[in-house]
């Protein structure tokens, strides 16, 4: 049978729907809308409570969010369907069935999706079998939640371990020199390149592409630009082993430019450091990562990049300088970063 044969829609009068600008931060009644959060806001208007037998399923027509609601609520202004199963289907089974159907249908952007959901063929077993299926689903989900919690704990422990390893590696290095003395180029990116944004072209790296506890560039939201020949700022074209450091907003985020980087540039919120020894980049990226993510950097520490300090400080001090490694740059410095990168 089709999905629409399994459910009945509960009508919510337009005058009873609450617009988002009418939400209050705290109130007696939750407002359920099509947003990703279970509760979008609150209201104290009891006359706008959705009149239905609980629990019900709330479907976001535009967002495809599916919510199981077992408490009195008010409806958001637009884009939700309040659904109740017919006699031969349980509420929990309909909830998981709807989530499954949503995964099957094609995404149509911000169009309304219920018209596609209601046409899908669905299987409705006996009530006893529905109860068994729901029980098994929730058992598996519970195990997954525990797994997520465990992975988060492991991630936090690995971050501490990484810091300990890096501290151990750099602890014996006493010789320090300013970045300017061990680099061939220190610069920042160009302003006003947002007008060149495009779905194709060369890569344009922003602060969101950098990390605080790793040195690898993020690749999940790449921005491209189409540049005119006379574009200012091509001096900031990246080379392999350049070190990138955020100098505004999220100060101290780091990335090492991979050796196989194609044509790419940075914006004005990022500094580029190109070391005289190309092998020094990876080594120094890990050192800076340690400096900005551990107790090695307090609120007064700063690193000077050609006159621009990239950590806030409360009072003037002598410039914090960056260690110039005494190790063999062809062998030893390659072992150290890899040690940090694998934990």
């Amino acid at each position: 049978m089709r999905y629409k044969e399994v459910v009945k829609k509960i009508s919510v009068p337009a005058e009873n729907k609450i617009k988002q600008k009418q939400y209050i931060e705290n109130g007696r009644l939750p407002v359920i809308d099509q947003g990703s959060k279970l509760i979008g806001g609150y209201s104290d208007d009891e006359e706008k409570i959705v009149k239905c037998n609980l629990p019900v399923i709330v479907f976001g027509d535009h967002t495809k969010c599916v919510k199981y609601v077992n408490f009195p609520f008010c409806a958001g202004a637009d884009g939700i369907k309040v659904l109740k199963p017919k006699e031969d289907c349980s509420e929990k089974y309909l909830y998981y069935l709807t989530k499954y159907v949503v995964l099957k249908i094609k995404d149509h952007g911000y169009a309304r999706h219920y018209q596609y959901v209601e046409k899908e063929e669905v299987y409705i077993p006996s009530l006893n079998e529905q109860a068994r299926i729901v029980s098994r689903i929730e058992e598996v989900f519970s195990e997954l939640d525990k797994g997520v919690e465990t992975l988060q704990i492991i991630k936090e422990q690995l971050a501490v371990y990484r810091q300990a390893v890096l501290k151990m590696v750099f602890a014996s290095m006493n010789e320090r020199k300013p970045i300017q003395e061990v680099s061939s180029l220190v610069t920042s990116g160009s302003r006003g390149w947002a007008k060149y944004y495009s779905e194709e072209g060369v890569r344009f790296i922003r602060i969101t592409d950098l990390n605080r506890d790793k040195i690898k560039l993020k690749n999940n939201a790449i921005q491209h630009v189409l540049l005119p020949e006379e574009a200012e700022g091509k001096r900031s074209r990246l080379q392999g082993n350049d070190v990138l450091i955020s100098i505004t907003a999220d100060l101290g985020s780091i990335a090492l430019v991979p050796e196989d980087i194609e044509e790419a540039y940075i914006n004005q919120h990022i500094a580029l450091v190109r070391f005289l020894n190309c092998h020094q980049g990876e080594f120094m990226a890990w050192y800076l990562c340690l400096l900005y993510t551990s107790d090695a950097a307090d609120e007064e520490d700063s690193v000077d990049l050609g006159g621009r300090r990239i950590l806030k400080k409360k009072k003037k001090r002598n410039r914090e300088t960056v260690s110039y490694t005494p190790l063999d740059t062809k062998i030893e410095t390659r072992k150290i970063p890899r040690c940090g990168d694998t934990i």
Side-chain angles (χ1 to χ4, degrees), residues 1-3 6-7 55-57 66-68 83-102 121-138 141:
M1 65 178 66
R2 291 190 175 186
Y3 182 90
V6 180
V7 302
V56 293
I57 312 305
V66 182
K67 303 178 182 182
Y68 180 85
L83 308 172
K84 187 77 178 175
K86 294 182 178 178
E87 295 76 13
D88 54 353
C89 182
S90 72
E91 288 85 356
K92 270 294 178 74
Y93 183 81
L94 178 63
Y95 169 65
Y96 290 117
L97 178 65
T98 306
K99 291 177 78 72
Y100 168 69
V101 170
V102 164
E121 292 287 332
V122 294
Y123 171 63
I124 306 297
S126 68
L127 289 173
N128 286 339
E129 182 65 8
Q130 291 176 37
R132 188 193 68 79
I133 292 172
V134 167
S135 177
R136 180 55 182 158
I137 289 173
E138 295 187 338
F141 279 5

Side-chain angles (χ1 to χ4, degrees), residues 15 21 24 32 48 63 77 95 128 146 162 195-196 234 242 249 285 294 318:
E15 61 272 18
K21 63 182 179 181
I24 59 177
I32 307 298
K48 295 186 177 179
T63 63
Y95 169 65
N128 286 339
K146 291 177 182 178
R162 178 189 285 116
K195 60 188 176 185
Y196 301 136
K234 287 193 174 181
D242 285 347
S294 72
N318 292 332

